[in-house]
Amino acid sequence: GEGVARTFLYTTLMAGCRYDEATAVLRESSAIRFDPIHRAYQEALIRFWQSGSPSGVNDWLAGLPAAEPSDSLRFNWACLQGDASGIVRLSSEASNDNDTLMLCLAFIATGQMERGHQTLVNLRTRLDALVAEQPESYFYWASLARVLAYMGEGAKALEAAEKACAIEPEGRDALYGLPVSAVRAEVLGWIGRGDDANRELARLLR
């Protein structure tokens, strides 16, 4: 629908560092379904990417009233900054597979190796079950590919990424197919095929 298309346009503009255009899309499109707090957070993030200074986002978060549901935003901000301690502190806010992957890495970065490993194993078990139940879900295959790559199972990770790309190819649906191909590039990087990953990313950014 329009909401998905406009959101993808916004994220693509952000990825391309076209911040003024991204801000315009964010402000003008009611199809991007952010509530006022999340919309303001996105604008604070745009200013961060423009300036390179985190102080604006930190000040904005510090100024939120205590009643606002800000911990999910703080978790997201910790992930963007690579703040492992912050991610662990706000671990209850992990709400999806990507969040859980970040949490695994944060546990490991803060010396909680066993906790990180177990979280990753639990996520893999869940995704194994989901791809068995819904084998045509490119989303679950792509998520599983990333988990397998993180676990060092390169061949299986690449197989899962290829499966996701086959289910949702770029030629059929660029809106969803391109992000799936980006996951494949990420997997290539994780499994030690950096040159292949860079070539794939260069192709996707053309």
Side-chain angles (χ1 to χ4, degrees):
E2 182 187 358
V4 173
R6 298 295 285 180
T7 300
F8 185 68
L9 173 61
Y10 167 71
T11 56
T12 302
L13 289 169
M14 287 292 291
C17 302
R18 293 161 63 176
Y19 301 119
D20 290 341
E21 293 170 81
T23 300
V25 170
L26 182 66
R27 290 178 176 174
E28 294 170 3
S29 178
S30 60
I32 300 179
R33 303 190 183 282
F34 290 131
D35 60 40
I37 291 296
H38 284 76
R39 192 175 293 267
Y41 174 61
Q42 291 297 318
E43 292 195 24
L45 287 180
I46 290 173
R47 292 191 292 273
F48 161 66
W49 293 121
Q50 285 177 313
S51 68
S53 172
S55 59
V57 181
N58 289 333
D59 291 345
W60 183 83
L61 286 169
L64 283 179
E68 294 291 353
S70 60
D71 278 353
S72 64
L73 302 182
R74 295 179 193 282
F75 179 86
N76 178 263
W77 180 230
C79 290
L80 289 175
Q81 293 187 101
D83 175 8
S85 295
I87 294 169
V88 171
R89 185 175 67 254
L90 296 162
S91 59
S92 62
E93 296 298 323
S95 60
N96 55 50
D97 295 336
N98 287 335
D99 287 352
T100 304
L101 281 173
M102 288 298 297
L103 184 56
C104 293
L105 297 179
F107 283 141
I108 292 168
T110 55
Q112 302 179 63
M113 305 297 290
E114 182 57 35
R115 194 175 181 189
H117 176 72
Q118 191 57 54
T119 302
L120 198 57
V121 168
N122 292 344
L123 180 57
R124 178 186 179 170
T125 299
R126 189 182 86 84
L127 288 169
D128 278 337
L130 286 170
V131 297
E133 293 170 6
Q134 302 178 53
E136 296 306 310
S137 170
Y138 70 89
F139 178 81
Y140 291 138
W141 279 109
S143 296
L144 180 60
R146 297 180 72 205
V147 170
L148 292 168
Y150 284 22
M151 296 182 78
E153 299 189 29
K156 290 182 179 179
L158 188 55
E159 182 181 350
E162 297 285 6
K163 177 73 172 177
C165 290
I167 294 171
E168 196 65 29
E170 295 171 27
R172 186 175 71 189
D173 190 338
L175 183 61
Y176 294 106
L178 287 171
V180 174
S181 293
V183 170
R184 181 180 181 277
E186 179 185 351
V187 167
L188 287 168
W190 269 98
I191 66 176
R193 292 174 56 180
D195 289 344
D196 291 336
N198 287 335
R199 279 192 291 271
E200 181 70 352
L201 287 172
R203 181 185 68 80
L204 293 171
L205 290 171
R206 283 201 298 267

